Amino acid sequence: MGDFTDFQRFIPDRMHKLQVRLKGWWKMRQVYEKLVNCVDQVRRRTDFVPRAAIVLGSGLGDYAEDIRVESELSYGEIEGFPVSTVPGHAGKFIFGYVGDVPVVCMKGRVHYYEGYPVSDVVLPVRLMKLLGAEVLFLTNAAGGVNSSFHGGDLMMIRDHISVFAPNPLVGPNLDVLGTRFPDMSGVYDGGLQKVIREAAREKDIYLQEGVYAQLTGPSFESPAEVRMLHLLGCDAVGMSTVAEAIAANHMGMKICGISCICNLAAGLSATPLTHEEVQAAADMAAPKFKSLVTEVVRRL
Ligand code: HPA
């Protein structure tokens, strides 16, 4: 039997646990209210219902030129919506058609390294799902960890590894969005992978395949980190995508992804890395990237 001292300890301990839970619920409530508020604001501007959502990575924003545009909405016009601070990441939603497929395209995304909480990083993807998008097409600029890759290659993402980057589902679960413990064994949809392979073959585009690793950035990796990623089984590395894929998978979206390999990761190339080099390589790969994305979306 416990004595009075145990009882005295029991009360603050219980109070502390309750406080932690209440704080968590309060935070998640705020996250959800912000999401619903952003969806409401978008819905006041457009009733467009997309079937697919496309996220354009660094330097790949020009893809938006291939869309038959119905309307556009700058992120800055949506109160509470995270706005990118990165050069090469214009911030707007484009609603329109690729072939007959209604799409919403994010021209620019926000990253964890910009100082946004991960709940803000994944807000846009959640928003696009709530607008109606069932399919999510993620793209990014990445460094090649696989030494057989070359700058300008396109890599279809088969799976991912998150290294030191926070999981967007930490905290009390928002049951209205998805389950507490989502299965992650098939995040990148097998059917969509087949479509991407067929589209690449049709367009005569050489396609690499592999595992994408997200680190937090903004510094590029050290050569030792790149060697670690290689040992872990990663083929490409970048600073985005995985958190978005986790949140989209939580909400039951069908996901696929393509990395544009802009450079060989640190230690694998003779020259130091710069953001400008990444953008220049993305520009060079842009025509085949555009043609592949268009062909895949048409086939959805
Ligand atoms: N590392 C991380 N992110 C990147 C790289 C890289 O080498 N290249 C383009 N984005």
Side-chain angles (χ1 to χ4, degrees):
M1 266 271 277
D3 58 15
F4 187 65
T5 331
D6 287 342
F7 179 69
Q8 278 177 312
R9 246 183 259 126
F10 172 79
I11 295 289
D13 186 46
R14 273 301 174 92
M15 289 294 285
H16 178 68
K17 281 189 180 147
L18 190 65
Q19 237 179 4
V20 170
R21 284 185 66 181
L22 280 174
K23 242 170 106 174
W25 281 115
W26 179 245
K27 197 175 149 252
M28 283 327 256
R29 200 190 143 84
Q30 284 178 319
V31 167
Y32 186 63
E33 278 179 0
K34 186 172 183 175
L35 174 62
V36 170
N37 184 265
C38 287
V39 174
D40 279 351
Q41 291 180 64
V42 175
R43 274 287 165 248
R44 261 180 257 135
R45 296 286 297 269
T46 175
D47 56 5
F48 191 88
V49 178
R51 183 158 126 56
I54 307 169
V55 181
L56 299 174
S58 280
L60 302 172
D62 279 353
Y63 174 70
E65 288 165 6
D66 280 16
I67 298 175
R68 213 164 68 244
V69 178
E70 289 278 309
S71 61
E72 298 188 347
L73 181 57
S74 293
Y75 302 156
E77 293 178 69
I78 309 167
E79 198 194 317
F81 196 90
V83 178
S84 176
T85 57
V86 187
H89 278 260
K92 61 179 170 184
F93 283 118
I94 297 170
F95 299 92
Y97 292 88
V98 173
D100 293 336
V101 182
V103 300
V104 54
C105 184
M106 282 185 70
K107 193 166 173 181
R109 54 151 64 91
V110 294
H111 306 80
Y112 181 64
Y113 65 71
E114 292 175 73
Y116 286 105
V118 66
S119 56
D120 272 357
V121 172
V122 301
L123 183 147
V125 161
R126 286 180 163 157
L127 181 146
M128 293 190 291
K129 162 72 176 158
L130 294 180
L131 293 180
E134 293 298 331
V135 173
L136 176 64
F137 198 149
L138 292 164
T139 72
N140 57 52
V145 173
N146 185 323
S147 55
S148 71
F149 287 5
H150 300 96
D153 280 354
L154 299 181
M155 183 195 88
M156 181 181 76
I157 304 175
R158 279 210 295 238
D159 203 349
H160 69 223
I161 294 181
S162 172
V163 190
F164 315 129
N167 188 309
L169 307 184
V170 168
N173 187 49
L174 283 166
D175 294 336
V176 282
L177 300 185
T179 179
R180 169 78 291 189
F181 299 110
D183 175 48
M184 296 288 289
S185 51
V187 173
Y188 299 88
D189 186 76
L192 292 176
Q193 289 189 38
K194 224 171 125 205
V195 172
I196 294 176
R197 281 188 203 107
E198 283 165 6
R201 214 173 300 128
E202 165 85 20
K203 291 282 165 189
D204 208 14
I205 292 170
Y206 182 66
L207 189 67
Q208 304 279 14
E209 298 189 13
V211 174
Y212 173 88
Q214 176 182 356
L215 272 71
T216 63
S219 47
F220 289 114
E221 305 68 42
S222 68
E225 284 167 340
V226 172
R227 285 196 298 277
M228 170 190 77
L229 294 172
H230 182 69
L231 286 173
L232 290 177
C234 304
D235 298 288
V237 59
M239 306 173 191
S240 66
T241 302
V242 174
E244 293 156 347
I246 292 172
N249 178 64
H250 181 233
M251 294 181 78
M253 293 180 95
K254 272 186 163 188
I255 303 164
C256 62
I258 292 183
S259 295
C260 174
I261 306 296
C262 293
N263 55 278
L264 285 182
L268 298 179
S269 90
T271 50
L273 300 178
T274 64
H275 183 63
E276 290 68 32
E277 176 195 353
V278 168
Q279 278 193 296
D283 285 347
M284 262 172 54
K288 65 177 175 179
F289 170 82
K290 278 186 195 181
S291 130
L292 181 59
V293 174
T294 299
E295 186 62 27
V296 172
V297 176
R298 276 178 198 279
R299 289 168 181 241
L300 289 179

